[in-house]
Amino acid sequence: GDQVEQSPSALSLHEGTGSALRCNFTTTMRAVQWFRKNSRGSLINLFYLASGTKENGRLKSAFDSKERYSTLHIRDAQLEDSGTYFCAAEVVSNYNVLYFGSGTKLTVEP
Amino acid sequence: GPKVLQIPSHQIIDMGQMVTLNCDPVSNHLYFYWYKQILGQQMEFLVNFYNGKVMEKSKLFKDQFSVERPDGSYFTLKIQPTALEDSAVYFCASSLEGRISDYTFGSGTRLLVI
């Protein structure tokens, strides 16, 4: 659990604004996955990155293995974006184990 | 899309009793996992399973824990006997190729040991 430090733990945004979530890694990671927990508690895959950046709608993610971090940017936040977001990463030496961040609870307000 | 179903969603059990958590993975997936999340803490890896065998387990996977998937049925996590510190949400996941990119997680089973 100590391999991934996720921040902030909680974030409040007004509709239409944006911000970034960040995960720092204490060791070199092979890849990172960003999830969102839905209302039923399931983890929904948002992005998988082995390097570089990916964008999907109002979400954009980046992963830098060498600098040991990943970010998830949200722009033009909507009410339905509210939820808990997690990053999870796999170490270079073992891709069958995921190390999770502690989550960011995002609240989007009108 | 394809889903991982976990049964039951909630379970309360007396300390010392046995409990079995059931996971119905995505039908064509070959790799199976259990993760544990204690309230307020990060999800942590317990065990992974492939081809009928445990491939890797963490220090959280105590001797009282066991996993199996008999004849392609449910992938189960059994705890015998349970202890108070086993109270947590247990998440099952499956994947086709054992890579992070194709993981599918269930909604978790919330276990309370009293």
Side-chain angles (χ1 to χ4, degrees), chain A residues 1 4 30 33 35 40-43 45 48 88 90 94-98 100-102, chain B residues 3 31 33 35 37 42-45 48 55-56 91 98-101 103 105-107:
Chain A
V4 182
R30 173 199 299 262
Q33 178 85 45
F35 297 94
R40 288 201 326 274
S42 293
L43 293 175
N45 292 356
Y48 167 77
E90 52 185 21
N94 187 349
Y95 57 79
N96 269 304
V97 178
L98 295 184
F100 278 81
S102 51
Chain B
K3 293 178 181 171
Y31 294 80
Y33 312 84
Y35 282 77
Q37 185 176 28
Q42 291 153 298
M43 283 176 65
E44 293 193 85
F45 170 77
N48 51 33
M55 292 190 297
E56 188 168 359
F91 290 92
R99 309 306 295 264
I100 187 176
S101 54
Y103 273 48
F105 276 88
S107 303

Side-chain angles (χ1 to χ4, degrees), chain B residues 36-106:
Chain B
K36 176 182 180 181
Q37 185 176 28
I38 295 173
L39 185 64
Q41 299 184 21
Q42 291 153 298
M43 283 176 65
E44 293 193 85
F45 170 77
L46 278 179
V47 65
N48 51 33
F49 189 87
Y50 170 74
N51 198 26
K53 293 191 287 268
V54 170
M55 292 190 297
E56 188 168 359
K57 55 188 180 182
S58 72
K59 61 180 185 298
L60 297 179
F61 194 81
K62 305 181 297 183
D63 291 343
Q64 296 90 329
F65 288 29
S66 63
V67 291
E68 64 176 354
R69 191 184 187 220
D71 302 321
S73 60
Y74 287 155
F75 175 52
T76 62
L77 173 64
K78 183 185 292 185
I79 309 174
Q80 180 178 26
T82 50
L84 295 177
E85 61 265 26
D86 297 330
S87 296
V89 182
Y90 291 84
F91 290 92
C92 173
S94 68
S95 76
L96 178 60
E97 299 178 344
R99 309 306 295 264
I100 187 176
S101 54
D102 70 352
Y103 273 48
T104 302
F105 276 88

Side-chain angles (χ1 to χ4, degrees), chain A residues 5-73:
Chain A
E5 298 170 353
Q6 185 173 346
S7 61
S9 57
L11 179 63
S12 183
L13 294 176
H14 288 293
E15 271 186 298
T17 64
S19 189
L21 287 55
R22 185 178 177 102
C23 285
N24 291 325
F25 310 119
T26 58
T27 189
T28 302
M29 297 297 184
R30 173 199 299 262
V32 67
Q33 178 85 45
W34 283 92
F35 297 94
R36 181 185 165 198
K37 187 174 275 193
N38 70 8
S39 57
R40 288 201 326 274
S42 293
L43 293 175
I44 306 301
N45 292 356
L46 295 177
F47 292 106
Y48 167 77
L49 297 103
S51 65
T53 63
K54 283 188 179 178
E55 191 165 357
N56 184 3
R58 295 177 291 100
L59 298 178
K60 181 177 178 180
S61 184
F63 172 52
D64 190 326
S65 177
K66 184 178 177 184
E67 298 300 322
R68 299 183 179 180
Y69 76 90
S70 179
T71 56
L72 177 68
H73 291 259

